[in-house]
Amino acid sequence: MTDDRPRVLRKVGLLLLAVNLGLVALKGGAWLATGSLAVQSETVNSAADSVYSLVTVAGLYLTTRPPDFEHPHGHERIEPFVGLFVALGIFAAGGTVLYQSGMALLSGDVSVSRGPTAVAVLVVAAVTKYLLYRYVLAASERHNSPALTATALDNRNDILTASAAIVGVLGAGAGYPILDPLAAVVVAVGIVYTGVEVVRDNLGYLVGRAPPEELRGEIVRRALSHPDVEGAHDVIAHYVGPEIDVSLHIEVEGDRTLFEAHDIESAVVASIRDLPEVDDVFVHVDPRELDEWKPDEEVDQLAGGRWRSREE
């Protein structure tokens, strides 16, 4: 984790809150002026975004506090819970929009004011969300933040839903008012799908999901790159919150002194901990004479086939 992570995450959270509040005011005005269900759905979506942005700001403040006596590893493990709260807001917004548009379709009572106002507002919203999506995604990738990843996904989805709303408004203005609530349904489905993505990703952080294969491979390659390490086995890497804990056995010749074994273990730990996603690394040193060297097909696969278990 980088040293400027707390500052950047708090800055991004405040920016998200300010932008979403501005979009609520902008879309709300357009909705009142046009009566468009698609614009109304977008207003509800931005209102939900504002609520969870406020929670995200508070959550990011908590997660970026330094370690203390009761939390020696820091507070980053709170972040998946912030992401799940974001998902609840997303589901609530999607359900509200789906209900309103469904009732309009069933009643057949659809009336929309014509004019460029709604389209202009939705175009501004789509462009704003695209810029916000790129900015938040870059910050989430750089600082490994589940809360910002969830927010980036929501912003990406907002681009698509705003585009669907534009289609609905244009269709209604062209004499096909039914397209407006239909577009709102598309918006609702998109909102709910984003919620599913956010839940899936953050549950993975909470239940100890393994990191991507590429990262696991890099962990194994760093362990095997030490000149005194003859092999590795029982490599376990899993998420603990947004960070990764690693444990593994490395195989060394048994004639090494205790000082040499300690230096080897320390070097392997340091190499793996240099990965920004990794928090703790636990290395067990196995000498040949105790018959603890053993084949591990997963290690061989992750190492890219460059290592094979040695014959005893």
Side-chain angles (χ1 to χ4, degrees):
M1 301 292 176
T2 56
D3 293 335
D4 63 342
R5 186 177 190 269
R7 178 184 60 81
V8 172
L9 264 58
R10 294 174 185 179
K11 175 184 175 182
V12 173
L14 290 172
L15 177 64
L16 285 166
L17 178 59
V19 171
N20 284 322
L21 287 173
L23 288 175
V24 169
L26 187 64
K27 293 178 182 179
W31 168 46
L32 293 175
T34 64
S36 168
L37 282 173
V39 177
Q40 180 190 26
S41 68
E42 280 292 292
T43 305
V44 172
N45 189 17
S46 289
D49 288 348
S50 299
V51 172
Y52 78 66
S53 293
L54 182 61
V55 176
T56 300
V57 169
L60 290 176
Y61 174 78
L62 292 175
T63 64
T64 53
R65 287 185 301 168
D68 54 37
F69 182 76
E70 294 182 346
H71 304 88
H73 289 276
H75 300 77
E76 287 85 359
R77 297 173 190 184
I78 299 174
E79 276 204 53
F81 293 100
V82 178
L84 289 176
F85 188 90
V86 170
L88 290 177
I90 293 172
F91 286 134
T96 301
V97 172
L98 188 60
Y99 173 78
Q100 293 174 337
S101 55
M103 293 300 292
L105 287 171
L106 291 174
S107 67
D109 182 18
V110 180
S111 59
V112 182
S113 302
R114 304 185 182 210
T117 302
V119 174
V121 167
L122 291 173
V123 169
V124 170
V127 172
T128 301
K129 283 295 185 175
Y130 174 77
L131 296 175
L132 202 58
Y133 162 66
R134 298 301 306 176
Y135 176 73
V136 175
L137 183 64
S140 69
E141 291 177 344
R142 179 183 175 190
H143 298 284
N144 190 30
S145 170
L148 291 188
T149 299
T151 304
L153 286 175
D154 184 57
N155 286 321
R156 182 198 66 186
N157 204 65
D158 287 344
I159 302 167
L160 302 177
T161 57
S163 301
I166 291 172
V167 172
V169 172
L170 289 175
Y176 302 97
I178 195 67
L179 289 180
D180 190 61
L182 285 176
V185 171
V186 174
V187 171
V189 172
I191 294 171
V192 172
Y193 178 75
T194 298
V196 172
E197 285 187 298
V198 172
V199 169
R200 181 192 62 208
D201 291 343
N202 283 278
L203 282 181
Y205 289 124
L206 291 174
V207 301
R209 182 189 66 205
E213 183 174 339
E214 180 181 353
L215 180 56
R216 285 183 286 149
E218 179 61 24
I219 290 171
V220 169
R221 287 189 291 272
R222 288 187 178 219
L224 296 177
S225 66
H226 192 286
D228 293 316
V229 174
E230 302 293 335
H233 59 268
D234 293 342
V235 178
I236 299 174
H238 63 98
Y239 281 104
V240 181
E243 299 177 324
I244 297 170
D245 281 1
V246 178
S247 66
L248 71 156
H249 291 235
I250 57 174
E251 300 162 0
V252 301
E253 293 291 349
D255 59 357
R256 301 293 183 184
T257 66
L258 179 59
F259 289 107
E260 291 173 331
H262 174 268
D263 288 343
I264 295 169
E265 180 263 349
S266 297
V268 172
V269 168
S271 178
I272 296 174
R273 288 199 68 179
D274 280 342
L275 292 168
E277 301 89 344
V278 173
D279 180 24
D280 279 340
V281 182
F282 307 93
V283 175
H284 184 80
V285 180
D286 288 339
R288 176 192 293 270
E289 287 75 12
L290 294 182
D291 295 326
E292 291 189 8
W293 290 20
K294 61 183 182 181
D296 192 317
E297 293 182 1
E298 182 178 3
V299 167
D300 185 34
Q301 178 182 350
L302 292 173
R306 291 193 295 270
W307 174 80
R308 292 290 188 272
S309 298
R310 292 151 180 79
E311 295 295 334
E312 296 290 332

